[in-house]
Amino acid sequence: MNEHGEASSLSEDSDPTQAMTQSEVLPSDGLGKLAQSARSHQLGSARVTMYVIGFLTIAVNLAFAIFARPMVDSQFATEVKKLQAQGMQLDMQKIEELKAESVLATQISGGGFAALGVVFIILGMLVYRYPVPCTVLALVLYLAGQAMTALADPQMLVNGFIIKIIIIVALAKAIQTATAYRRDQLNLGT
Amino acid sequence: MDETASNDGDAIPVFLEQAEQSCRRCRKHYEMQAECCPSCGASNPENPSPHSSADTRANPNDQALLTVCLCYGVMLGAHALWGMVLSAGLTMTPEQLVRSTVLIDSIFCVATLIAWWKTRAIGRMDPLPSQSHSYEAREGLHAGDPPVISEEFSASGTWKSVLAAWLLALPLLALALAGNYAYHYVLTHFVGLPVDDDYLSQFGSLTATILIVCVEPALMEEFFFRGVAWKVLQPLVGRWGTLLVTSVMFGMAHIGVPLSVPALFGVGLFLGGMRLWSGGLLLPMLLHFLHNLTVVLYQGPS
């Protein structure tokens, strides 16, 4: 018996969530399980969102990395032609060095963002196990990734702006769902 | 309540039994009229709240988390805007650069203070580190107040861990700086990407550089990432989850130097670890200042 006169078969260090016996399951837990099932479905939508973001990010940035050289070559050719038309003398050796650096930078940034896409997929896989950290990290990484892209090329921020807003809202709602899901898990002792 | 308790000579009187009940999660006693347990927030099945845990809009922890995310978004947006302005080809004098940097940093400071103000109801800064979490009622808490999760104050070993954190801070900082330098060395000499961080020639004077690059980040970035965001995230994702998430946020916040993000993630882990170990913000702030000061002085003027 503990100090309040209640029969206690638990040690002080045991997990209180495991203390609920069959007789202690209350009718409201049925509603709780229903709510948890609904949230589980919503978390599934969050998982799909993360998978879509992940696969799209990988595909687009791998393409950038693979086709970096032709893209950089064509852009440099356009700029060189423009400058030569204005009568400027250009140091072709320096231009080749800059071109090589640009190709390397494009490949590394493409690879880096592709790795970010892999992270999104991993977060989607782990969302049921660690709902809150995964959804928070997904939103953080998405916002930061968009900010970096905007820094490199402001035009990219405008492209697909509405879709980006929809994704951000979806990830924010996923965080709310995840926190409620986790809270319901604790309340139901699962 | 257990029926056998009424047969026991030590059982509580019947009128007290009806006034209180035992929480099914943390086993602490609270009034039957309460909508939820004041210690851990578990709903009271005898008196369900119209704003149960299913209603996320009423939950202060969720609102605090979204406030932190919003503040982080504002910070990213301000830095991205500033970067776009700089890369648009505008030539600035050092004085103009200092003024524009101060403006951007002020936006971040204001956003941080707003986030702190709106999240101040969420518990308090956790005390010295301990071995485990426990749900404890805050003094003066009434039924229906937002739940508070505070770390158990472990009597044994807490002052030892704080002392160890302070004693080992400088050697660990040296390791972190070595790791940072090694990463950039590999990036520059093996991968072949130049990393240009010439602060002194950008801002024109050592004083301005130290204030902008060393003092302000040490105060405001630590206050946001290891203070406000840490306090909001810890009840939701635990200590180690908070360390990981805040380190990712810290690294990704440096969008002006994207190639340095992995190294800065490592620095974030180091500063977050010291925050965890020392239990407060003073040590991470000092270490952040020393780290940035070392980088600035090592770079030197061009």
Side-chain angles (χ1 to χ4, degrees), chain A residues 83-151:
Chain A
L83 291 169
Q84 281 175 342
Q86 291 170 5
M88 293 178 86
Q89 293 280 344
L90 300 170
D91 182 352
M92 297 313 289
Q93 190 180 354
K94 196 79 182 160
I95 286 176
E96 286 302 317
E97 280 174 20
L98 279 173
K99 217 189 271 187
E101 270 179 24
S102 298
V103 168
L104 189 60
T106 306
Q107 285 172 337
I108 286 179
S109 70
F113 276 101
L116 194 64
V118 172
V119 170
F120 271 108
I121 292 171
I122 293 171
L123 290 176
M125 287 163 61
L126 295 174
V127 76
Y128 279 102
R129 188 155 181 190
Y130 306 106
V132 181
C134 287
T135 46
V136 171
L137 275 175
L139 181 61
V140 164
L141 289 173
Y142 187 77
L143 285 175
Q146 290 304 315
M148 278 189 200
T149 310
L151 203 58

Side-chain angles (χ1 to χ4, degrees), chain B residues 13-263:
Chain B
V14 171
F15 71 90
L16 281 179
E17 278 187 16
Q18 289 174 344
E20 286 191 343
Q21 65 175 359
S22 171
C23 174
R24 57 191 174 135
R25 191 160 97 194
C26 67
R27 294 297 182 188
K28 301 219 173 173
H29 287 265
Y30 65 97
E31 295 171 2
M32 281 186 90
Q33 314 305 323
E35 290 172 351
C36 63
C37 171
S39 299
C40 67
S43 59
N44 180 2
E46 300 297 329
N47 187 18
S49 162
H51 298 294
S52 68
S53 63
D55 186 348
T56 58
R57 284 171 296 174
N59 194 288
N61 279 327
D62 291 345
Q63 291 170 345
L65 184 57
L66 287 175
T67 301
V68 165
C69 291
L70 195 65
C71 176
Y72 185 67
V74 165
M75 185 191 67
L76 286 177
H79 280 98
L81 193 64
W82 182 68
M84 278 190 261
V85 167
L86 281 181
S87 61
L90 296 175
T91 52
M92 287 191 191
T93 63
E95 290 78 21
Q96 286 172 329
L97 192 63
V98 166
R99 266 187 243 130
S100 62
T101 310
V102 166
L103 176 65
I104 297 301
D105 287 345
S106 302
I107 295 173
F108 173 52
C109 292
V110 167
T112 300
L113 289 171
I114 291 173
W116 167 74
W117 180 257
K118 289 179 82 66
T119 60
R120 73 193 189 287
I122 304 300
R124 55 187 168 83
M125 292 289 184
D126 54 304
L128 300 172
S130 66
Q131 299 298 322
S132 63
H133 289 273
S134 70
Y135 295 98
E136 290 185 359
R138 192 171 52 186
E139 284 178 17
L141 200 67
H142 301 288
D145 284 351
V148 173
I149 299 170
S150 64
E151 285 192 306
E152 199 176 64
F153 189 92
S154 167
S156 62
T158 306
W159 65 268
K160 287 180 194 168
S161 63
V162 173
L163 186 63
W166 280 88
L167 288 175
L168 292 174
L170 286 180
L172 289 174
L173 174 64
L175 275 176
L177 280 164
N180 196 349
Y181 173 74
Y183 170 82
H184 287 94
Y185 184 85
V186 166
L187 210 62
T188 313
H189 292 85
F190 291 95
V191 179
L193 283 173
V195 180
D196 183 22
D197 289 324
D198 190 358
Y199 300 105
L200 291 182
S201 67
Q202 279 180 8
F203 294 115
S205 77
L206 185 62
T207 308
T209 306
I210 287 176
L211 283 173
I212 291 171
V213 179
C214 304
V215 174
E216 187 272 335
L219 291 176
M220 296 315 298
E221 285 183 10
E222 290 306 311
F223 186 63
F224 177 73
F225 291 109
R226 258 68 67 176
V228 176
W230 191 283
K231 179 179 66 169
V232 168
L233 284 167
Q234 190 164 354
L236 295 169
V237 302
R239 269 186 286 189
W240 303 113
T242 304
L243 177 62
L244 177 67
V245 173
T246 53
S247 302
V248 170
M249 288 171 75
F250 177 77
M252 297 300 272
H254 295 79
I255 55 172
V257 282
L259 294 174
S260 301
V261 165

Side-chain angles (χ1 to χ4, degrees), chain A residues 18-50:
Chain A
Q18 295 173 356
M20 290 173 64
T21 61
Q22 191 64 31
S23 61
E24 291 171 317
V25 174
L26 298 162
S28 61
D29 286 346
L31 290 173
K33 285 192 174 121
L34 196 64
Q36 197 184 23
S37 163
R39 287 193 217 296
S40 177
H41 181 72
Q42 287 175 321
L43 269 186
S45 303
R47 171 181 264 185
V48 168
T49 305
M50 287 184 218

